[in-house]
């Protein structure tokens, strides 16, 4: 059986050996120098000013939405657009934090929201924010989406948990909005077992995220920032200052173990992205040309395609169901990400009305006729050819 995820880490043995040595020698394993070092390195790799490291991609999404609420950049009850085809914990924080999620359909050929599908929604709704998902290492036209958001006064942020390393028009995905989130869960581009991050160029968003990540207090801020916030709130007793809680937060902190893993894995990232891109092109060349069986996937507008799975959207449900049977016991497959969010029980229960139109959306078609298999950097040629044979 060719699994969706082949290993916990790239260069697993080396990484585990280095981790064991690190743990034996470490004085402290709660958030500290390794996490800080990772934040600095990751913001450099992503070409952003700041990175706030948290314990999962879902936590990154929650922290970002809470930080924007704390800062008054969005308000409870506001409408927020999101990609209808995404992962549950992209949209869940919107519902949990009292926002009104508005689904936006995706294009069939890029699997992503485009300026066209966004325009449709903007013609009917005033959106305070767009939380765009860059799905499976692809995107449509984030430059045009950025323009539309500017013109309509919509705050634009990205969930880039599936697209670390993809480049569009010379710019990394995750760098088109005011902030973006990442996941370092096993099987994603790089793994810290569990882990995530928010990156931004905004000092204000970074500071708020550091408080949201840890109880709403100021302990993980720089001394300069601590002084500023303590002055503002007239906290001048060192007895109370360590236990003053300035805004709404959680405990979403990472450990030094995740920090160390992040620093170890980050050095392999170019190699991981390169291998996955080569694999993807090989699969695409053979599988996507079966145009009578599958809808085409467009990626020639991307400078770098960085994905961890290969999506296949079948022309009919019958073709998809036959593939599910054919793959059984040979290659592990699954639905496309979390599918159409509006078809999920949690969305039906917690989001209000107007969803019947979604039965004819592209997101629904992809939900019902799509599947994906893993694109691991450790796939062998033999394994790739086995997969191709099943799909062609
Ligand atoms: C688009 C998207 N957002 C958020 C997440 C959540 O990341 P994590 O599993 O690290 O919580 C995922 C997970 O796969 C995802 O695909």
């Amino acid at each position: 059986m060719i699994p969706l995820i082949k290993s916990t880490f790239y260069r697993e043995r080396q990484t585990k050996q280095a981790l064991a040595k690190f743990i034996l020698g470490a004085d402290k394993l709660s958030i500290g120098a390794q996490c800080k070092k990772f934040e600095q390195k990751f913001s450099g790799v992503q070409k952003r000013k700041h990175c706030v490291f948290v314990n999962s991609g879902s936590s990154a999404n929650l922290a970002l939405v809470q930080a924007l609420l704390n800062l008054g950049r969005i308000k409870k009850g506001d409408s927020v657009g999101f990609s209808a085809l995404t992962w549950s914990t992209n949209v869940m924080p919107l519902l949990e934090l009292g926002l009104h999620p508005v689904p936006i359909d995706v294009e069939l050929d890029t699997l992503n929201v485009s300026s066209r599908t966004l325009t449709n929604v903007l013609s009917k709704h005033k959106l305070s924010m767009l939380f765009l998902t860059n799905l499976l290492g692809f995107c449509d036209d984030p430059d045009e989406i950025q323009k539309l958001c500017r013109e309509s006064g919509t705050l634009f942020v990205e969930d880039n948990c599936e697209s670390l390393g993809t480049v569009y028009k010379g710019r990394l995905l995750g760098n088109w909005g005011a902030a973006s989130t990442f996941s370092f869960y096993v099987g994603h581009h790089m793994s810290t077992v569990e882990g995530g991050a928010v990156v931004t160029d905004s000092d204000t968003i970074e500071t708020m995220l550091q408080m949201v990540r840890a109880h709403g207090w100021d302990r993980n801020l720089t001394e300069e920032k601590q002084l500023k916030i303590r002055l503002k709130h007239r906290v001048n007793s060192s007895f109370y200052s360590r236990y003053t809680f300035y805004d709404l937060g959680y405990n979403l902190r990472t450990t030094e173990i995740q920090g160390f893993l992040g620093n170890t894995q980050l050095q392999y990232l170019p190699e991981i992205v390169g291998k996955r891109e080569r694999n993807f092109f090989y699969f695409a060349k053979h599988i996507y040309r079966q145009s009578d069986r599958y809808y085409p996937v467009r990626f020639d507008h991307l400078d770098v395609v960085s994905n961890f799975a290969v999506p296949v959207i079948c022309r009919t449900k019958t073709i998809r169901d036959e593939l599910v049977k054919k793959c059984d016991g040979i290659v592990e497959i699954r639905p496309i990400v979390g599918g159409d969010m509006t078809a999920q029980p949690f969305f039906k229960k917690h989001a209000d009305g107007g969803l019947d139109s979604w039965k004819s959306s592209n997101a629904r078609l992809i939900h019902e006729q799509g599947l994906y298999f893993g694109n691991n950097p450790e796939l062998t040629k033999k394994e790739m050819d086995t997969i191709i044979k099943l799909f062609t």
Side-chain angles (χ1 to χ4, degrees):
M1 177 87 157
I2 305 166
L4 279 169
I5 299 170
K6 282 193 78 174
S7 61
T8 306
F9 308 109
Y10 187 65
R11 305 234 176 152
E12 179 133 339
R13 196 162 172 75
Q14 271 161 272
T15 304
K16 282 183 176 168
Q17 273 168 345
L19 177 64
K21 201 169 154 209
F22 167 72
I23 291 175
L24 284 172
D27 296 330
K28 169 185 164 166
L29 287 174
S30 56
I31 193 166
Q34 286 290 330
C35 294
K36 190 91 227 140
K37 185 170 156 193
F38 177 72
E39 291 181 330
Q40 280 159 0
K41 280 191 178 182
F42 190 74
S43 55
V45 166
Q46 184 59 30
K47 302 187 175 79
R48 288 286 236 182
K49 201 166 158 194
H50 305 295
C51 165
V52 178
F53 193 23
V54 291
N55 57 13
S56 72
S58 304
S59 298
N61 287 349
L62 179 67
L64 177 58
V65 178
Q66 183 69 64
L68 296 171
L69 279 162
N70 287 355
L71 290 168
R73 303 281 293 270
I74 47 175
K75 293 191 304 301
K76 265 192 187 217
D78 280 359
S79 292
V80 177
F82 73 97
S83 315
L85 190 67
T86 184
W87 186 247
S88 59
T89 52
N90 168 272
V91 63
M92 280 182 180
L94 304 177
L95 289 163
E96 287 154 355
L97 297 176
L99 295 151
H100 173 64
V102 180
I104 308 175
D105 202 8
V106 297
E107 300 287 354
L108 199 50
D109 59 349
T110 61
L111 313 182
N112 274 273
V113 165
S114 68
S115 54
R116 198 184 60 85
T117 61
L118 176 61
T119 301
N120 278 344
V121 169
L122 284 172
S123 68
K124 293 178 221 128
H125 299 265
K126 163 83 189 116
L127 300 181
S128 295
M129 180 166 104
L130 167 66
F131 198 1
L132 180 82
T133 298
N134 298 316
L135 201 90
L136 287 178
F138 305 116
C139 66
D140 203 285
D141 55 355
D143 50 338
E144 294 300 321
I145 288 174
Q146 187 190 55
K147 250 189 244 165
L148 274 177
C149 286
R150 270 197 201 127
E151 284 160 15
S152 58
T154 307
L155 175 64
F156 175 27
V157 294
E158 294 164 84
D159 178 334
N160 205 43
C161 289
E162 300 188 2
S163 296
L164 168 59
T166 290
V167 180
Y168 168 75
K169 293 199 173 171
R171 190 188 290 197
L172 282 160
L173 292 190
N175 290 355
W176 293 90
S180 61
T181 60
F182 293 82
S183 165
F184 308 124
Y185 179 62
V186 180
H188 282 237
H189 304 77
M190 55 161 273
S191 152
T192 60
V193 188
E194 294 279 4
V198 187
V199 303
T200 180
D201 293 329
S202 156
D203 297 352
T204 322
I205 295 177
E206 182 214 26
T207 309
M208 186 52 80
L209 283 167
Q210 286 167 334
M211 291 196 284
V212 169
R213 172 177 61 184
H215 311 290
W217 64 22
D218 71 0
R219 283 207 214 167
N220 302 100
L221 307 191
T222 59
E223 274 182 30
E224 195 188 328
K225 284 180 181 174
Q226 283 176 344
L227 201 65
K228 213 167 145 191
I229 197 162
R230 287 176 192 182
L231 273 174
K232 184 174 163 201
H233 291 269
R234 297 200 179 88
V235 180
N236 43 27
S237 132
S238 56
F239 183 67
Y240 286 115
S241 63
R242 285 167 60 78
Y243 296 92
T244 303
F245 306 96
Y246 296 95
D247 217 323
L248 297 180
Y250 307 87
N251 181 358
L252 312 173
R253 284 178 304 206
T254 45
T255 65
E256 287 293 84
I257 294 174
Q258 286 154 307
F260 179 82
L261 286 169
N263 291 320
T264 309
Q265 289 290 294
L266 206 51
Q267 65 183 312
Y268 304 134
L269 190 61
E271 205 174 311
I272 295 172
V273 171
K275 283 192 178 173
R276 283 187 156 135
E277 189 180 49
R278 276 197 297 281
N279 292 351
F280 174 71
F281 289 153
Y282 188 64
F283 284 125
K285 187 174 83 182
H286 290 92
I287 297 174
Y288 293 158
R289 73 163 178 227
Q290 309 277 311
S291 55
D292 54 329
R293 288 169 57 78
Y294 311 129
Y295 286 102
V297 175
R298 187 165 64 82
F299 51 88
D300 57 359
H301 58 305
L302 303 175
D303 305 327
V304 176
V305 187
S306 175
N307 60 28
F308 53 71
V310 179
V312 178
I313 319 300
C314 302
R315 293 262 176 201
T316 63
K317 275 190 202 169
T318 316
I319 298 176
R320 204 269 310 259
D321 294 345
E322 278 168 10
L323 278 174
V324 173
K325 273 196 213 132
K326 256 174 105 178
C327 291
D328 191 32
I330 307 172
V331 53
E332 193 182 356
I333 51 165
R334 52 167 277 180
I336 305 277
V337 189
D340 175 4
M341 284 301 115
T342 72
Q344 292 289 356
F346 85 88
F347 197 85
K348 290 185 185 154
K349 180 174 177 192
H350 294 282
D352 47 353
L355 300 173
D356 278 353
S357 60
W358 282 89
K359 286 186 182 141
S360 58
S361 68
N362 288 330
R364 188 62 61 91
L365 186 150
I366 294 165
H367 184 99
E368 290 174 349
Q369 292 173 213
L371 59 85
Y372 80 52
F373 56 84
N375 173 11
N376 295 290
E378 292 109 345
L379 277 176
T380 62
K381 170 93 172 33
K382 195 170 160 220
E383 287 172 326
M384 290 199 283
D385 288 337
T386 303
I387 296 172
I388 288 168
K389 217 166 150 198
L390 285 169
F391 281 80
T392 53

